[in-house]
Amino acid sequence: MTDTRTAIVTGSGRGIGAAVALRLAKDGHKVAIIDLREEDTANTVDAIRSAGGDAIGIGADVSKSEDVTAAVSRVTEELGAPTILINNAGILRDNLLFKMSDDDWDAVMNVHLRGSFLMSRAVQVHQVEQKWGRIVNLSSTSALGNRGQANYSTAKAGLQGFTKTLAIELGRYNVTANAIAPGFIATDMTRATAERVGVSFEDFMAHAASEIPVGRAGTPDDIAAAASFFVSEEASFVSGQVLYVAGGPKA
Ligand code: NAP
């Protein structure tokens, strides 16, 4: 029997975050859905509530300190002190290095790295107080290097170092930190990449699947299953790890 905890999943209005939020609710947790605009959280919140779960939706930009402080306070008041944090919010600003603008670089660093830092710093207060916590950061196979993603691959590799340091600093408070590094997952993010390179999403997925050992693209539920394990009670001795969920051993 799982103890009920309060979880925050950032960027969970859609895609991987939404699947993780639904899964954590199914596992018995109360879930705060954070996305840039509160109205974009409605679908995930409704899906959780209609399945009998407890959820609230909050509009916040994870890269803004004041938004993060206000969001975590609201979660604490309305759902209880958050002790599970999934840092999932993410953006792409792909470009080859010679065409990458200052803004392309800063925007990606701000959402992935600054956002995960601000959220983790705000939530660890509650985790340390409760002497229990779980942090899961969304990295990517792109952390190993990917053409056109100097900004994104740097941020995703950075998140792996961040995860390991959180594991070292917070372990004594019974808080674990792990990272999931997805491979190709069918979401709006990969759909947008297909559009950018001028290929239909179906062809883009088929090409990706042809290079993945298990012969298919990943789904948001594949990532949700890994997140469910990392936040479980029985994963308390697993910390500072990076799990590649990519249908095979290589990016
Ligand atoms: P997605 O469909 O684009 O969803 C990302 C969500 O994050 C969106 O709802 C977006 O809001 C939200 N978001 C963006 N910036 C935010 C901010 N500053 N504050 C709060 N929320 C923000 O992406 P996804 O494919 O589900 O990806 C989720 C995570 O997995 C990301 O970290 C991504 O890098 C990682 N990942 C994805 C893949 C993949 O193949 N899909 C592979 C490896 C890693 P808006 O709707 O308003 O933009």
Side-chain angles (χ1 to χ4, degrees):
M1 180 65 196
T2 310
D3 288 340
T4 297
R5 314 272 183 185
T6 296
I8 295 178
V9 186
T10 67
S12 49
R14 59 188 164 106
I16 291 171
V20 170
L22 283 160
R23 175 63 194 258
L24 297 190
K26 205 169 143 200
D27 290 347
H29 304 299
K30 297 184 265 183
V31 190
I33 310 303
I34 293 187
D35 216 300
L36 275 173
R37 288 168 297 275
E38 185 162 336
E39 58 267 32
D40 292 341
T41 66
N43 286 345
T44 314
V45 170
D46 289 350
I48 290 175
R49 288 184 184 158
S50 41
D54 203 351
I56 59 169
I58 298 175
D61 180 342
V62 296
S63 69
K64 294 199 173 131
S65 201
E66 59 279 16
D67 281 21
V68 167
T69 306
V72 173
S73 304
R74 218 184 118 189
V75 175
T76 309
E77 276 163 31
E78 295 183 28
L79 287 183
T83 52
I84 296 174
L85 171 63
I86 314 291
N87 283 313
N88 167 83
I91 58 166
L92 292 180
R93 292 288 183 274
D94 293 356
N95 237 327
L96 292 175
L97 180 64
F98 77 101
K99 286 195 278 189
M100 190 170 282
S101 69
D102 294 11
D103 280 353
D104 291 335
W105 180 268
D106 291 344
V108 167
M109 295 305 151
N110 281 341
V111 177
H112 296 269
L113 286 179
R114 186 178 157 84
S116 300
F117 156 64
L118 292 174
M119 287 298 307
S120 301
R121 191 179 59 182
V123 168
Q124 60 80 32
V125 174
H126 300 288
Q127 295 175 322
V128 167
E129 208 172 81
Q130 310 272 321
K131 297 221 166 7
W132 192 94
R134 299 281 186 265
I135 296 175
V136 178
N137 297 316
L138 266 290
S139 179
S140 167
T141 50
S142 295
L144 303 171
N146 201 23
R147 188 178 163 80
Q149 293 196 318
N151 50 3
Y152 185 80
S153 63
T154 301
K156 292 308 198 185
L159 278 172
Q160 296 190 9
F162 180 62
T163 301
K164 289 170 193 286
T165 299
L166 294 187
I168 291 166
E169 289 189 13
L170 299 173
R172 71 185 62 186
Y173 304 106
N174 200 21
V175 175
T176 68
N178 290 285
I180 299 172
F184 186 101
I185 310 296
T187 67
D188 290 345
M189 186 177 267
T190 38
R191 186 179 288 277
T193 303
E195 262 170 39
R196 192 176 59 81
V197 298
V199 180
S200 77
F201 193 43
E202 289 62 38
D203 288 350
F204 197 58
M205 287 229 292
H207 175 72
S210 73
E211 295 191 330
I212 296 171
V214 302
R216 67 171 178 87
T219 67
D221 285 342
D222 290 321
I223 307 307
S228 172
F229 168 67
F230 277 138
V231 308
S232 67
E233 300 296 331
E234 61 265 31
S236 61
F237 205 55
V238 180
S239 196
Q241 301 305 304
V242 180
L243 181 63
Y244 283 84
V245 181
K250 287 196 294 182

